[in-house]
Amino acid sequence: ERSFFVMLNASLSLEWFQIPVLPDQGRWLRIIDTARSAPLDIVPVGEGVPLKTSRVSVKGMGAVVLVSENKNA
């Protein structure tokens, strides 16, 4: 079972979001980041980029979507 964490920034300036910790050694994968150029702005779930920090920046009027992945799966 996967979890999603959706960050929407309705302001014009960059905002920082604290990412929740996943249980059971899980990790977050970035699958959508509207600040990136195509085709890297939206990637399939299986090709998500692992996060290495506990905070994520979201550019003004942007969106970032994370999906969970269990490292033990």
Side-chain angles (χ1 to χ4, degrees):
E1 184 172 310
R2 294 187 185 265
S3 296
F4 290 87
F5 188 67
V6 179
M7 295 160 277
L8 303 173
N9 182 0
S11 75
L12 296 177
S13 59
L14 180 134
E15 297 290 338
W16 287 91
F17 290 78
Q18 185 69 34
I19 306 305
V21 175
L22 288 167
D24 301 325
Q25 300 295 314
R27 67 180 180 172
W28 290 108
L29 304 175
R30 185 182 63 237
I31 57 171
I32 297 174
D33 186 344
T34 59
R36 295 181 176 274
S37 299
L40 300 176
D41 55 341
I42 302 173
V43 299
V45 170
E47 298 175 23
V49 178
L51 290 186
K52 297 182 181 185
T53 64
S54 62
R55 294 179 62 198
V56 170
S57 63
V58 180
K59 291 207 174 184
M61 305 305 289
V64 174
V65 177
L66 308 178
V67 64
S68 65
E69 175 187 71
N70 188 329
K71 285 185 177 181
N72 300 324

